[in-house]
Amino acid sequence: MAAIRPRSTVSAWQPSVPGIAEVFHARFTEHAYPAHVHDTWALMILDGGRVDFALDGERHGLGVSDVVVLLPPGVSHDGRTVTEAGFRKRVLYLDASVLPERLTGAAVDTPLLADAALRERVHGLHLALAERDPFEAQSRLAFVRERLHRRLAGRAAEGQVPGVSGQVPGARVAVRLRELLDARVPEGITLGEAAAELGYPHPTHLIRSFTAAYGLPPHAYLTGRRVGLARRLLLAGVRPAEAAVAAGFYDQAHLTRHFGRHVGISPARFARSGRL
């Protein structure tokens, strides 16, 4: 008789702690994240199982250990289960007030930080956040930030375009297109409009340059940004149907389809998870 897999679960909320955009706890048994980017840093510890992910085109894998995973904003990554048991993780999404963008290169070079002291600090921060104690959480975040800066600052890459896979041809136009997409997440933009605004007669050149630089095409990048916006709206109490339209999706069904691929849970369940 085949073993029954445990049900995937997610709990997410926005804490009243400056610098932390979202707390995300999850157990996944059968889930594969598509290539996507965040506009925040993702700081992850694994509590069970194994996970495999690619960051900026290079694959990494880990199991439960003293390793802390740090994924920088604006850099393409995916993620998937490795065994039938799946994996359990806790993630903190941190904004630029905690870690500046100039540390992106160092994080891309070393996303797996083997640091028992750092993992213990991140674990303690999660405990404080679960207790909804903002003062203790702020204090613990300060120590996490200190440790991360100590690990990354000495390796910060100089002279690179943050989030871009090296200095690939067309990197500058890719950055300009990314800035254009970031400025118009809900309303979007057509390739023709983008090409005209950036001064490129052939939209296909924009797609190739962007994909070479960021590891995913512009439409996939924009979808990921819209999912990220929907996450924030849902955790702020906005109803899924309203969050879908506000984030740039056609309707709730459109949001649900992409949200499930990116987050591993429906928007409605995600919104309720922080109130459980």
Side-chain angles (χ1 to χ4, degrees):
M1 181 176 178
I4 298 176
R5 291 188 177 186
R7 182 170 177 264
S8 294
T9 59
V10 166
S11 177
W13 70 95
Q14 285 181 323
S16 56
V17 179
I20 303 179
E22 180 184 317
V23 183
F24 185 82
H25 294 181
R27 177 174 192 159
F28 289 127
T29 54
E30 292 181 286
H31 185 59
Y33 289 100
H36 64 287
V37 300
H38 295 291
D39 57 0
T40 56
W41 295 82
L43 182 67
M44 181 181 83
I45 55 177
L46 208 64
D47 293 318
R50 295 190 59 81
V51 67
D52 175 270
F53 68 94
L55 176 69
D56 202 32
E58 183 174 347
R59 298 219 70 86
H60 304 272
L62 76 152
V64 179
S65 64
D66 290 331
V67 171
V68 176
V69 180
L70 181 65
L71 305 178
V75 181
S76 175
H77 61 277
D78 62 14
R80 64 192 182 194
T81 56
V82 176
T83 67
E84 289 190 359
F87 63 92
R88 291 184 292 116
K89 68 176 182 177
R90 287 177 287 169
V91 186
L92 299 173
Y93 293 99
L94 310 174
D95 65 29
S97 68
V98 179
L99 291 173
E101 192 173 316
R102 64 180 175 80
L103 297 179
T104 293
V108 170
D109 291 340
T110 313
L112 304 181
L113 303 175
D115 188 330
L118 174 60
R119 193 192 192 284
E120 186 61 29
R121 291 184 185 187
V122 174
H123 171 68
L125 175 53
H126 275 284
L127 293 180
L129 290 165
E131 292 294 327
R132 303 301 206 265
D133 186 335
F135 184 75
E136 179 182 354
Q138 288 171 21
S139 301
R140 290 186 178 276
L141 177 60
F143 283 102
V144 169
R145 178 184 181 276
E146 177 188 66
R147 191 78 178 182
L148 287 171
H149 274 259
R150 186 178 302 170
R151 291 297 304 263
L152 296 177
R155 291 201 294 265
E158 299 294 335
Q160 294 186 359
V161 178
V164 172
S165 305
Q167 292 302 324
V168 299
R172 291 296 171 184
V173 69
V175 171
R176 292 174 63 198
L177 178 55
R178 176 187 164 190
E179 292 172 346
L180 193 58
L181 294 173
D182 287 345
R184 300 182 58 171
V185 171
E187 63 269 33
I189 189 171
T190 69
L191 278 174
E193 291 170 338
E197 185 156 341
L198 298 177
Y200 278 78
H202 303 294
T204 53
H205 175 73
L206 291 180
I207 298 173
R208 291 193 181 99
S209 297
F210 193 96
T211 303
Y214 292 107
L216 72 172
H219 73 272
Y221 174 85
L222 182 59
T223 296
R225 289 300 312 276
R226 285 174 169 169
V227 169
L229 175 55
R231 290 172 77 143
R232 294 192 292 273
L233 292 170
L234 291 166
L235 292 181
V238 178
R239 295 168 61 87
E242 297 167 352
V245 176
F249 293 97
Y250 180 73
D251 56 16
Q252 186 174 342
H254 189 203
L255 167 64
T256 298
R257 184 166 65 255
H258 288 291
F259 202 91
R261 293 181 62 237
H262 281 257
V263 187
I265 190 174
S266 73
R269 283 182 59 196
F270 179 84
R272 292 195 301 268
S273 70
R275 300 193 291 271
L276 298 179

